[in-house]
């Protein structure tokens, strides 16, 4: 394939081609070649429609179809020669098609513009990434479900302010992330439903005078319907912004669990051990096993947030319809999608492989006066004490235990009775961490029976 001057694509309007600087700033082939398959898919649908409506002869349509398949095979086999002088993937494909089939290639662009062409290609690409994100999220949810099922009754500390709050079960903690990532998947599905309209046929901005069938091309490309307004069709990038918004929230959730893994693998916590597949060593400290995959996920999230802000900034001041500013949409989305998929895959691997240190979890759950709330609840339930009074009594007993260097269950009945004489020996039934988690049977609570019910619900949803 030979390179040709870019002035040819602009017809007779320009006498000379751009200089090197203009070519460099104007060309997008360095990144939009990723949409080659989508571009050819859209062109094939467009050519078939032109033939069906009589705008193109069947012979020309068949030549174009065969030629596009040849171009696609060259691209997939990495034999295709890209030209920056031809600016973008659309003109690169069209130029190669002309070399293969000759004059019919020039008829392919009838009743369309690069404006609706790129909008269609980009929607198809983002739609595919949206589906991939849902698949990645469901794989991660299944890994979390496996962990939750294994440890539905393992006890660990629950935290607020990163301070020990109340005992929870390992399964309950894992299921919290199943819920988060479930909402992420739902956001991607919602975004997909809104983006699934076809811009093809909107042409440059005003539609076309040719008798095209936009329903036909929309159906051929898997869209639910054509976009209803040609101005909006070529200038809309909401679909990319929604993808980035959903990706940003998902990335935030990934960063939260990555942060927990960094903390949990530390020598001070020792809650979990990551597999060697997702850890690295130190060049100087032989004892180190670093949770680098988790740390890199935590860091890569900034790129996804940044892409969201960058594209919002590109779009915020654009009048209708298309402006060249919108060429800056793709690199942001490509990078965010790449990093999101990498982060999802890495997190799924870490979660699936990680080993919980069950004795360390239970020992930590029993520290820090984690059953203080259970004591307060017992005082309310058994002694009919107002909760604020029970809170004060419990706080006094916590201070007593702290002064003696012990935990609440280590206080004697006499110690407790010195603060509240009506306390009986029955209070010790709620002070153990296992008793504590078993008592939290409200819907969505941490009791093992509730955790198993939620695991069953999610298994059915993901089946």
């Amino acid at each position: 394939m030979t390179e040709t001057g870019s002035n040819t694509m602009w017809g007779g309007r320009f006498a000379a081609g751009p200089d090197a600087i203009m070519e460099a700033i104007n060309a997008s082939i360095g990144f939009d070649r990723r949409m080659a398959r989508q571009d050819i898919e859209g062109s094939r649908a467009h050519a078939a429609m032109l033939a069906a409506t009589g705008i193109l002869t069947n012979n020309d349509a068949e030549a174009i179809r065969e030629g596009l398949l040849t171009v696609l095979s060259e691209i997939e086999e990495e034999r295709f020669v890209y030209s920056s002088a031809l600016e973008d993937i659309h003109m690169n494909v069209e130029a190669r098609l002309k070399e293969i089939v000759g004059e019919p290639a020039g008829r392919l662009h009838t009743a369309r513009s690069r404006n609706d062409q790129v909008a269609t290609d980009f929607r198809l690409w983002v739609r595919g990434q949206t589906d991939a994100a849902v698949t990645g999220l469901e794989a991660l949810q299944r890994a979390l479900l496996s962990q939750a099922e294994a440890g539905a009754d393992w006890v660990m500390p629950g935290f607020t302010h990163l301070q020990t709050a109340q005992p929870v079960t390992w399964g309950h903690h894992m299921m919290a992330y199943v819920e988060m990532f479930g909402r992420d998947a739902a956001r991607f599905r919602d975004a997909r439903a809104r983006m699934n309209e076809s811009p093809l046929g909107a042409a440059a901005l005003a539609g076309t005078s040719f008798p095209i069938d936009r329903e036909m091309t929309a159906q051929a490309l898997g869209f639910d319907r054509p976009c209803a307004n040609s101005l909006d069709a070529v200038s809309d990038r909401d679909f990319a912004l929604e993808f980035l918004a959903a990706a940003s929230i998902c990335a935030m959730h990934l960063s939260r669990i990555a942060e927990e893994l960094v903390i949990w693998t530390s020598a001070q916590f020792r809650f979990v051990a990551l597999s060697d597949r997702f850890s690295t060593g130190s060049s100087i400290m032989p004892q180190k096993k670093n949770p680098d995959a988790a740390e890199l996920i935590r860091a890569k999230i900034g790129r996804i947030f940044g892409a969201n802000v960058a594209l919002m900034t590109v779009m915020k001041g654009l009048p209708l319809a298309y402006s060249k500013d919108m060429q800056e949409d793709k690199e942001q989305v490509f990078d965010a999608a790449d990093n999101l998929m990498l982060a999802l895959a890495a997190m799924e691997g870490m979660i699936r492989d990680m080993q919980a240190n069950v004795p360390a979890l239970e020992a930590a759950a029993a520290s820090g006066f984690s059953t203080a709330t259970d004591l307060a609840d017992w005082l309310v339930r058994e002694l009919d004490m107002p909760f604020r009074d029970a809170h004060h009594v419990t706080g006094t007993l916590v201070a007593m235990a702290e002064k003696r260097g012990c935990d609440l269950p280590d206080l004697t009945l006499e110690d407790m009775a010195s603060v509240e004489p009506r306390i009986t020996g029955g209070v010790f039934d709620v002070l153990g961490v296992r008793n504590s988690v078993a008592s939290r049977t409200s819907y969505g609570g941490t009791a093992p029976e509730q955790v198993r019910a939620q695991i069953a619900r999610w298994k059915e949803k993901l089946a």
Side-chain angles (χ1 to χ4, degrees), residues 5-24:
S6 59
N7 58 311
T8 59
M9 79 181 72
W10 300 330
R13 173 65 180 84
F14 293 87
D19 64 20
I21 294 175
M22 181 59 196
E23 182 176 301

Side-chain angles (χ1 to χ4, degrees), residues 249-262:
I249 298 173
C250 178
M252 175 269 293
H253 289 149
L254 287 167
S255 187
R256 292 185 74 179
I257 193 169
E259 172 73 4
E260 294 210 305
L261 291 179
V262 171

Side-chain angles (χ1 to χ4, degrees), residues 127-157:
R127 189 179 71 184
Q129 289 299 301
T130 301
D131 292 340
V134 171
T135 300
L137 281 162
E138 290 179 347
L140 175 53
Q141 286 181 290
R142 290 188 180 95
L144 287 160
L145 281 169
S146 295
Q147 286 285 351
E149 196 164 28
D153 53 4
W154 298 344
V155 182
M156 67 176 290

Side-chain angles (χ1 to χ4, degrees), residues 216-437:
M216 179 180 174
T217 51
Q219 184 177 7
L221 295 171
F223 289 113
D224 295 328
R225 64 194 69 85
C227 297
N229 183 284
S230 59
L231 283 167
D232 181 51
V234 298
S235 63
D236 165 47
R237 291 299 182 270
D238 288 3
F239 62 92
L241 288 166
E242 276 205 86
F243 173 80
L244 291 176
S248 293
I249 298 173
C250 178
M252 175 269 293
H253 289 149
L254 287 167
S255 187
R256 292 185 74 179
I257 193 169
E259 172 73 4
E260 294 210 305
L261 291 179
V262 171
I263 293 170
W264 289 356
T265 55
S266 68
Q268 290 71 28
F269 274 73
R270 295 183 300 106
F271 282 3
V272 301
L274 298 180
S275 72
D276 292 348
R277 295 197 308 144
F278 295 98
S279 307
T280 66
S282 166
S283 63
I284 189 173
M285 295 169 285
Q287 83 281 10
K288 294 293 291 298
K289 185 176 180 180
N290 300 321
D292 281 9
E295 292 172 5
L296 287 166
I297 289 172
R298 190 175 58 183
K300 282 181 178 293
I301 301 320
R303 296 168 69 151
I304 298 172
F305 288 177
N308 192 17
V309 173
L311 185 52
M312 291 280 279
T313 305
V314 167
M315 296 301 298
K316 71 172 182 62
L318 299 186
L320 297 179
Y322 181 84
S323 297
K324 194 71 169 185
D325 310 50
M326 292 163 72
Q327 184 167 290
E328 290 296 308
D329 55 3
K330 295 166 203 66
E331 283 183 286
Q332 312 292 343
V333 177
F334 292 162
D335 186 73
D338 288 347
N339 282 283
L340 177 66
M341 294 309 300
L342 183 59
L344 283 170
M347 184 58 72
E348 190 260 337
M350 279 191 292
I351 295 297
R352 196 167 292 284
D353 286 1
M354 75 178 177
Q355 297 291 320
N357 183 345
V358 180
L361 290 169
E362 185 159 354
S367 67
F369 310 106
S370 64
T371 55
T373 305
D374 298 278
L375 173 55
D377 288 346
W378 185 89
L379 294 171
V380 171
R381 190 170 54 250
E382 300 297 327
L383 305 184
D384 196 25
M385 187 180 291
F387 184 80
R388 286 301 167 200
D389 294 344
H391 188 284
H392 177 76
V393 169
T394 302
T396 303
L397 290 170
V398 166
M400 178 187 294
E402 189 172 41
K403 186 175 181 179
R404 296 184 182 180
C406 65
D407 210 336
L408 282 172
D410 300 318
L411 294 175
T412 66
L413 180 59
E414 290 74 18
D415 292 330
M416 295 188 183
S418 69
V419 175
E420 171 49 62
R422 292 179 295 163
I423 293 178
T424 68
V427 72
F428 292 100
D429 292 338
V430 302
L431 292 182
V433 291
R434 291 189 172 277
N435 292 333
S436 174
V437 297

